Amino acid sequence: MSEAAEIRQYYLRINLDKSQRCYCVNRIGGAYLGTTRTLEEALYYRDLYSDIREGIVPRPSELDLKTENPYLNDGLKYPVPERLQRDPSYKPYVPRGSIYKRSRSSYCLYYSNTYLCCCRTYEQAYYTLEKLRENNWDTSKLPSIQAEYPEWYTWLLGFYRYIVVDKIHEKSTGEKRYMISIPQKHIKTSSTLDILRGYNNLEDALYERDFLMAHDWDYDLLVEAIDDKQNPYYNMELPPYPERKIRNISQRKTHEKEIRLMQKEILAHPEISQRELSRTLNIGDINIRNWLKLYGTDWMSFKTMVLAGEDPLKKLTLKPIVYQPDLSPSRPSNFKGYVHKNNKSKANPWNIEYRHKSYGVYPNRELALKIAKDLEKVGWDKSQLQCIQRKHGHIAPHGSRDLIYKKGNIYSVRKTIGRKLGYFGTYPNHRLAEIVRDLFRNTSWDKNRLPEVKEQANQIYKIENTYYNNMFGGVRL
């Protein structure tokens, strides 16, 4: 067989599609079998299945055509014929992954239709996708990637420092427009601008922000000297503007001048103490401790380093500020707060609700807002509600919150368990019912212990009455 015939046989039943992107594989009779992205995969797929004249065979996307592929491992035996050569300008498609928004706080990551993970914000999804791409889509690296996210998020805040969204314009037009917020210390007079408005794109806002920072926020100089043609941001891929941006971020002060003064005094007076140094520099002891703490050292270590002839600013590293991103679920668009007014009660018209659970009723909105704020801090842990209420000097009213109900002159203790309302006795006064309720809370509401709990409650009640009778000449009811 001639070499030309061997080449034809080697590339038999393989064709390049019209788009010159994929290779089509046919069966032995000429019927279409499947498509692959590379010639080596097409040859391997043909060897496996093209001799099967009829019947269902796996699609190329269902198979691993790279592992143990002899055409990839050993290379092609013959040069690729002209009919199978792609256009020189063709660039093979490389999956880059995608982000799919499911809700305001749910962004799913996919790679070639394979689900990878879900993120809370778009900037977190963008960062995670970039890192997975760098790690060849190895999802086992996700824990370490997410652990490093706060550092990248801190960098992102710095990248967009002083750039804010014009909320008024966005609300009225639905379009995003950006502003530059000038730092307070650079607002010299009441007539000085504190905000520069009207940037339709981030590139312009970033470029002018950089110019102002480099020229002491001189707006007149900006108008006269800036050259928009030199804007470097148009030639780069900008990271996403953060959906959850921490305001008023600060740059860490290095205190290099103070460190040098301390170094000079220590070298001049090797026996100097921290307190003596603070008096010499006319600063407080705590300032010295805080400055050294920023560099991860203390007074004795710093003094030893200086006396050893080492340069502290070269030896020590300033600890960076790392901001923790808010990764809590987004509130619904119609969210108006956790405090709602209930007109059924005149004494306590304000109710706190979270995820269809009630956290008590309150006499005024201000108190309810304070308690709701503290509940948010503890993750809406209802077991801490009483403690939070006591902190704000609030005593829960009698009723369903306390599981005590009054009918006439009789008080009953009730508790819903497993969707069934259980009765735990009736009592002649509120205090006795209160003791029973508290005792049952400590016994997980075991109704079989009702006689025992009643007896304990009566004993406690008698002791309290005796105490108040002896101390105050009267019985507390």
Side-chain angles (χ1 to χ4, degrees):
M1 184 184 296
S2 65
E3 183 178 356
E6 289 181 1
I7 293 175
R8 284 197 301 272
Q9 185 66 29
Y10 188 80
Y11 292 105
L12 189 64
R13 298 196 287 277
I14 305 292
N15 297 297
L16 189 62
D17 70 356
K18 292 182 180 179
S19 67
Q20 293 199 343
R21 292 178 178 273
C22 301
Y23 291 93
C24 300
V25 182
N26 297 328
R27 292 180 186 265
I28 193 172
Y32 170 77
L33 186 63
T35 301
T36 65
R37 293 197 178 275
T38 67
L39 180 57
E40 290 82 359
E41 290 176 312
L43 290 166
Y44 188 35
Y45 183 64
R46 178 205 61 188
D47 294 350
L48 292 173
Y49 298 105
S50 71
D51 287 340
I52 302 175
R53 291 180 177 273
E54 296 180 356
I56 299 173
V57 299
R59 311 304 299 165
S61 58
E62 299 171 356
L63 301 169
D64 178 7
L65 296 174
K66 294 181 178 179
T67 305
E68 299 183 0
N69 185 328
Y71 300 97
L72 286 172
N73 296 335
D74 304 330
L76 298 176
K77 185 177 180 181
Y78 297 102
V80 179
E82 186 176 348
R83 68 181 183 86
L84 296 178
Q85 292 180 10
R86 287 178 170 139
D87 189 297
S89 62
Y90 168 77
K91 294 182 179 180
Y93 170 74
V94 178
R96 293 184 53 80
S98 57
I99 300 172
Y100 172 69
K101 182 178 180 179
R102 294 180 58 188
S103 69
R104 293 180 67 224
S105 58
S106 178
Y107 294 83
C108 294
L109 272 58
Y110 290 87
Y111 173 71
S112 294
N113 298 321
T114 300
Y115 172 79
L116 301 174
C117 67
C118 198
C119 298
R120 188 68 72 192
T121 62
Y122 181 80
E123 57 265 27
Q124 185 190 23
Y126 174 90
Y127 159 81
T128 305
L129 192 67
E130 290 290 316
K131 290 298 179 181
L132 283 173
R133 193 178 292 137
E134 291 176 11
N135 288 278
N136 199 27
W137 308 102
D138 184 359
T139 53
S140 68
K141 300 288 181 63
L142 276 172
S144 61
I145 289 172
Q146 296 303 332
E148 296 170 359
Y149 173 60
E151 294 181 14
W152 183 86
Y153 175 75
T154 301
W155 169 85
L156 186 68
L157 294 177
F159 185 84
Y160 287 113
R161 195 177 187 205
Y162 303 124
I163 308 294
V164 294
V165 176
D166 188 342
K167 295 291 185 182
I168 297 174
H169 179 81
E170 185 179 21
K171 189 174 182 180
S172 60
T173 65
E175 298 176 353
K176 273 200 174 179
R177 183 178 287 179
Y178 301 93
M179 307 182 297
I180 298 176
S181 177
I182 298 174
Q184 190 68 34
K185 64 181 180 180
H186 293 284
I187 302 174
K188 299 172 184 177
T189 65
S190 59
S191 61
T192 306
L193 292 173
D194 59 346
I195 286 180
L196 304 182
R197 299 178 181 272
Y199 296 95
N200 291 322
N201 56 64
L202 283 167
E203 290 85 354
D204 291 337
L206 287 165
Y207 183 45
E208 295 196 8
R209 186 272 319 264
D210 290 352
F211 184 94
L212 288 168
M213 289 179 66
H215 297 88
D216 199 30
W217 296 88
D218 188 339
Y219 180 71
D220 293 332
L221 180 62
L222 170 75
V223 175
E224 295 173 5
I226 195 166
D227 182 3
D228 292 332
K229 295 179 181 179
Q230 302 297 320
N231 190 335
Y233 292 103
Y234 281 108
N235 298 321
M236 63 183 290
E237 180 186 347
L238 296 181
Y241 186 88
E243 294 178 353
R244 301 183 182 184
K245 191 171 184 285
I246 297 175
R247 301 187 66 181
N248 302 321
I249 63 169
S250 60
Q251 289 180 324
R252 173 149 286 172
K253 294 182 179 179
T254 62
H255 297 287
E256 290 187 7
K257 183 180 178 181
E258 292 85 350
I259 295 291
R260 288 299 185 202
L261 285 173
M262 290 164 57
Q263 179 187 18
K264 182 179 178 180
E265 287 297 322
I266 291 172
L267 290 173
H269 308 283
E271 301 300 324
I272 195 170
S273 67
Q274 181 176 326
R275 178 162 295 184
E276 291 169 342
L277 179 62
S278 66
R279 290 173 183 170
T280 302
L281 300 179
N282 196 24
I283 55 176
D285 289 357
I286 192 168
N287 294 93
I288 294 177
R289 288 197 297 271
N290 288 338
W291 296 338
L292 296 178
K293 190 176 181 180
L294 293 177
Y295 285 90
T297 188
D298 55 28
W299 167 251
M300 290 305 299
S301 301
F302 177 78
K303 185 177 179 181
T304 302
M305 184 188 307
V306 171
L307 293 175
E310 296 179 294
D311 186 343
L313 292 178
K314 292 182 179 179
K315 187 76 173 179
L316 300 173
T317 303
L318 185 68
K319 291 184 177 179
I321 297 175
V322 177
Y323 292 95
Q324 294 300 319
D326 176 13
L327 297 179
S328 60
S330 296
R331 292 165 179 167
S333 56
N334 60 351
F335 177 78
K336 295 181 179 180
Y338 301 114
V339 177
H340 309 279
K341 192 169 185 179
N342 179 8
N343 294 322
K344 293 181 180 179
S345 173
K346 292 183 179 179
N348 296 283
W350 295 96
N351 182 41
I352 298 177
E353 288 187 6
Y354 175 72
R355 291 189 176 180
H356 309 294
K357 290 183 181 180
S358 175
Y359 288 80
V361 291
Y362 303 91
N364 57 72
R365 187 170 183 270
E366 291 72 21
L367 175 62
L369 287 171
K370 290 178 182 178
I371 291 175
K373 188 175 181 179
D374 283 351
L375 283 167
E376 272 193 283
K377 292 178 181 177
V378 299
W380 295 94
D381 183 357
K382 204 165 186 176
S383 66
Q384 299 194 44
L385 177 59
Q386 278 190 325
C387 181
I388 292 172
Q389 288 175 334
R390 286 197 297 270
K391 169 187 170 183
H392 294 283
H394 176 69
I395 300 175
H398 307 321
S400 60
R401 171 63 190 90
D402 272 359
L403 310 172
I404 298 172
Y405 298 79
K406 182 180 180 182
K407 187 174 183 181
N409 295 323
I410 299 298
Y411 296 83
S412 63
V413 178
R414 289 180 271 175
K415 167 73 173 175
T416 301
I417 303 173
R419 297 187 179 181
K420 291 184 179 180
L421 185 61
Y423 292 86
F424 294 84
T426 57
Y427 305 92
N429 59 69
H430 183 271
R431 179 54 190 155
L432 185 56
E434 202 173 40
I435 296 171
V436 171
R437 179 206 61 197
D438 293 343
L439 288 172
F440 266 115
R441 279 177 172 163
N442 295 328
T443 60
S444 301
W445 297 94
D446 183 359
K447 196 170 183 180
N448 294 326
R449 301 182 63 177
L450 181 57
E452 175 190 342
V453 169
K454 279 187 173 182
E455 185 178 348
Q456 290 180 6
N458 283 321
Q459 291 175 358
I460 295 171
Y461 182 68
K462 288 178 182 179
I463 293 171
E464 284 187 356
N465 280 348
T466 301
Y467 171 78
Y468 278 95
N469 189 44
N470 292 336
M471 294 294 295
F472 305 108
V475 177
R476 178 186 176 188
L477 296 176

PDB file of all heavy atoms in Angstrom, residues 337-351:
ATOM      1  N   GLY A 337     -38.033  45.858  57.139  1.00  0.00           N
ATOM      2  CA  GLY A 337     -37.585  45.714  58.519  1.00  0.00           C
ATOM      3  C   GLY A 337     -38.270  44.564  59.218  1.00  0.00           C
ATOM      4  O   GLY A 337     -39.250  43.994  58.732  1.00  0.00           O
ATOM      5  N   TYR A 338     -37.729  44.209  60.375  1.00  0.00           N
ATOM      6  CA  TYR A 338     -38.277  43.099  61.150  1.00  0.00           C
ATOM      7  C   TYR A 338     -39.334  43.550  62.144  1.00  0.00           C
ATOM      8  O   TYR A 338     -39.964  42.728  62.794  1.00  0.00           O
ATOM      9  CB  TYR A 338     -37.128  42.409  61.910  1.00  0.00           C
ATOM     10  CG  TYR A 338     -36.042  41.878  61.011  1.00  0.00           C
ATOM     11  CD1 TYR A 338     -34.761  42.416  61.035  1.00  0.00           C
ATOM     12  CD2 TYR A 338     -36.302  40.841  60.118  1.00  0.00           C
ATOM     13  CE1 TYR A 338     -33.761  41.935  60.198  1.00  0.00           C
ATOM     14  CE2 TYR A 338     -35.314  40.352  59.282  1.00  0.00           C
ATOM     15  CZ  TYR A 338     -34.040  40.904  59.333  1.00  0.00           C
ATOM     16  OH  TYR A 338     -33.066  40.423  58.497  1.00  0.00           O
ATOM     17  N   VAL A 339     -39.510  44.859  62.278  1.00  0.00           N
ATOM     18  CA  VAL A 339     -40.463  45.390  63.244  1.00  0.00           C
ATOM     19  C   VAL A 339     -41.735  45.804  62.520  1.00  0.00           C
ATOM     20  O   VAL A 339     -41.695  46.570  61.558  1.00  0.00           O
ATOM     21  CB  VAL A 339     -39.855  46.595  63.995  1.00  0.00           C
ATOM     22  CG1 VAL A 339     -40.871  47.197  64.950  1.00  0.00           C
ATOM     23  CG2 VAL A 339     -38.605  46.175  64.748  1.00  0.00           C
ATOM     24  N   HIS A 340     -42.872  45.291  62.970  1.00  0.00           N
ATOM     25  CA  HIS A 340     -44.156  45.554  62.325  1.00  0.00           C
ATOM     26  C   HIS A 340     -45.169  46.004  63.373  1.00  0.00           C
ATOM     27  O   HIS A 340     -45.125  45.580  64.527  1.00  0.00           O
ATOM     28  CB  HIS A 340     -44.679  44.300  61.627  1.00  0.00           C
ATOM     29  CG  HIS A 340     -43.672  43.653  60.726  1.00  0.00           C
ATOM     30  ND1 HIS A 340     -43.423  44.093  59.451  1.00  0.00           N
ATOM     31  CD2 HIS A 340     -42.815  42.622  60.938  1.00  0.00           C
ATOM     32  CE1 HIS A 340     -42.471  43.347  58.908  1.00  0.00           C
ATOM     33  NE2 HIS A 340     -42.085  42.453  59.795  1.00  0.00           N
ATOM     34  N   LYS A 341     -46.084  46.848  62.937  1.00  0.00           N
ATOM     35  CA  LYS A 341     -47.120  47.333  63.851  1.00  0.00           C
ATOM     36  C   LYS A 341     -48.335  46.424  63.809  1.00  0.00           C
ATOM     37  O   LYS A 341     -48.799  46.028  62.741  1.00  0.00           O
ATOM     38  CB  LYS A 341     -47.522  48.758  63.489  1.00  0.00           C
ATOM     39  CG  LYS A 341     -48.379  49.421  64.557  1.00  0.00           C
ATOM     40  CD  LYS A 341     -48.544  50.909  64.318  1.00  0.00           C
ATOM     41  CE  LYS A 341     -49.298  51.536  65.494  1.00  0.00           C
ATOM     42  NZ  LYS A 341     -49.462  52.998  65.314  1.00  0.00           N
ATOM     43  N   ASN A 342     -48.822  46.088  64.994  1.00  0.00           N
ATOM     44  CA  ASN A 342     -50.003  45.233  65.130  1.00  0.00           C
ATOM     45  C   ASN A 342     -51.056  46.035  65.881  1.00  0.00           C
ATOM     46  O   ASN A 342     -50.947  46.273  67.080  1.00  0.00           O
ATOM     47  CB  ASN A 342     -49.636  43.956  65.894  1.00  0.00           C
ATOM     48  CG  ASN A 342     -50.841  43.035  66.080  1.00  0.00           C
ATOM     49  OD1 ASN A 342     -51.896  43.281  65.520  1.00  0.00           O
ATOM     50  ND2 ASN A 342     -50.668  41.990  66.862  1.00  0.00           N
ATOM     51  N   ASN A 343     -52.093  46.454  65.167  1.00  0.00           N
ATOM     52  CA  ASN A 343     -53.104  47.324  65.764  1.00  0.00           C
ATOM     53  C   ASN A 343     -54.049  46.612  66.723  1.00  0.00           C
ATOM     54  O   ASN A 343     -54.910  47.246  67.329  1.00  0.00           O
ATOM     55  CB  ASN A 343     -53.922  47.992  64.650  1.00  0.00           C
ATOM     56  CG  ASN A 343     -53.075  48.947  63.836  1.00  0.00           C
ATOM     57  OD1 ASN A 343     -52.227  49.634  64.379  1.00  0.00           O
ATOM     58  ND2 ASN A 343     -53.300  48.968  62.521  1.00  0.00           N
ATOM     59  N   LYS A 344     -53.880  45.286  66.875  1.00  0.00           N
ATOM     60  CA  LYS A 344     -54.768  44.541  67.781  1.00  0.00           C
ATOM     61  C   LYS A 344     -54.482  44.857  69.242  1.00  0.00           C
ATOM     62  O   LYS A 344     -55.332  44.685  70.100  1.00  0.00           O
ATOM     63  CB  LYS A 344     -54.625  43.038  67.533  1.00  0.00           C
ATOM     64  CG  LYS A 344     -55.149  42.602  66.166  1.00  0.00           C
ATOM     65  CD  LYS A 344     -55.005  41.093  65.991  1.00  0.00           C
ATOM     66  CE  LYS A 344     -55.524  40.662  64.623  1.00  0.00           C
ATOM     67  NZ  LYS A 344     -55.376  39.200  64.432  1.00  0.00           N
ATOM     68  N   SER A 345     -53.269  45.274  69.515  1.00  0.00           N
ATOM     69  CA  SER A 345     -52.885  45.568  70.904  1.00  0.00           C
ATOM     70  C   SER A 345     -52.543  47.045  71.038  1.00  0.00           C
ATOM     71  O   SER A 345     -51.688  47.560  70.319  1.00  0.00           O
ATOM     72  CB  SER A 345     -51.684  44.711  71.317  1.00  0.00           C
ATOM     73  OG  SER A 345     -51.207  45.106  72.584  1.00  0.00           O
ATOM     74  N   LYS A 346     -53.192  47.725  71.975  1.00  0.00           N
ATOM     75  CA  LYS A 346     -52.905  49.135  72.217  1.00  0.00           C
ATOM     76  C   LYS A 346     -51.689  49.294  73.131  1.00  0.00           C
ATOM     77  O   LYS A 346     -50.919  50.234  72.980  1.00  0.00           O
ATOM     78  CB  LYS A 346     -54.117  49.818  72.837  1.00  0.00           C
ATOM     79  CG  LYS A 346     -55.309  49.919  71.879  1.00  0.00           C
ATOM     80  CD  LYS A 346     -56.461  50.666  72.534  1.00  0.00           C
ATOM     81  CE  LYS A 346     -57.630  50.788  71.566  1.00  0.00           C
ATOM     82  NZ  LYS A 346     -58.777  51.501  72.187  1.00  0.00           N
ATOM     83  N   ALA A 347     -51.533  48.368  74.092  1.00  0.00           N
ATOM     84  CA  ALA A 347     -50.432  48.467  75.047  1.00  0.00           C
ATOM     85  C   ALA A 347     -49.097  48.096  74.397  1.00  0.00           C
ATOM     86  O   ALA A 347     -48.072  48.708  74.690  1.00  0.00           O
ATOM     87  CB  ALA A 347     -50.699  47.573  76.249  1.00  0.00           C
ATOM     88  N   ASN A 348     -49.107  47.079  73.526  1.00  0.00           N
ATOM     89  CA  ASN A 348     -47.871  46.604  72.883  1.00  0.00           C
ATOM     90  C   ASN A 348     -48.125  46.406  71.382  1.00  0.00           C
ATOM     91  O   ASN A 348     -48.264  45.280  70.903  1.00  0.00           O
ATOM     92  CB  ASN A 348     -47.412  45.294  73.524  1.00  0.00           C
ATOM     93  CG  ASN A 348     -47.047  45.465  74.976  1.00  0.00           C
ATOM     94  OD1 ASN A 348     -45.993  45.962  75.314  1.00  0.00           O
ATOM     95  ND2 ASN A 348     -47.960  45.044  75.862  1.00  0.00           N
ATOM     96  N   PRO A 349     -48.172  47.502  70.648  1.00  0.00           N
ATOM     97  CA  PRO A 349     -48.550  47.397  69.232  1.00  0.00           C
ATOM     98  C   PRO A 349     -47.420  47.007  68.281  1.00  0.00           C
ATOM     99  O   PRO A 349     -47.667  46.815  67.099  1.00  0.00           O
ATOM    100  CB  PRO A 349     -49.043  48.814  68.915  1.00  0.00           C
ATOM    101  CG  PRO A 349     -48.240  49.693  69.818  1.00  0.00           C
ATOM    102  CD  PRO A 349     -48.010  48.901  71.071  1.00  0.00           C
ATOM    103  N   TRP A 350     -46.179  46.894  68.782  1.00  0.00           N
ATOM    104  CA  TRP A 350     -45.044  46.618  67.887  1.00  0.00           C
ATOM    105  C   TRP A 350     -44.541  45.192  68.069  1.00  0.00           C
ATOM    106  O   TRP A 350     -44.230  44.769  69.176  1.00  0.00           O
ATOM    107  CB  TRP A 350     -43.925  47.615  68.143  1.00  0.00           C
ATOM    108  CG  TRP A 350     -44.339  49.002  67.792  1.00  0.00           C
ATOM    109  CD1 TRP A 350     -44.829  49.958  68.642  1.00  0.00           C
ATOM    110  CD2 TRP A 350     -44.368  49.578  66.488  1.00  0.00           C
ATOM    111  NE1 TRP A 350     -45.138  51.101  67.961  1.00  0.00           N
ATOM    112  CE2 TRP A 350     -44.855  50.898  66.623  1.00  0.00           C
ATOM    113  CE3 TRP A 350     -44.013  49.120  65.222  1.00  0.00           C
ATOM    114  CZ2 TRP A 350     -45.015  51.750  65.533  1.00  0.00           C
ATOM    115  CZ3 TRP A 350     -44.169  49.972  64.145  1.00  0.00           C
ATOM    116  CH2 TRP A 350     -44.661  51.262  64.303  1.00  0.00           C
ATOM    117  N   ASN A 351     -44.478  44.456  66.953  1.00  0.00           N
ATOM    118  CA  ASN A 351     -44.105  43.047  66.963  1.00  0.00           C
ATOM    119  C   ASN A 351     -42.814  42.839  66.173  1.00  0.00           C
ATOM    120  O   ASN A 351     -42.588  43.474  65.148  1.00  0.00           O
ATOM    121  CB  ASN A 351     -45.235  42.204  66.345  1.00  0.00           C
ATOM    122  CG  ASN A 351     -44.917  40.733  66.372  1.00  0.00           C
ATOM    123  OD1 ASN A 351     -44.389  40.234  67.359  1.00  0.00           O
ATOM    124  ND2 ASN A 351     -45.231  40.036  65.297  1.00  0.00           N
TER     125      ASN A 351
END
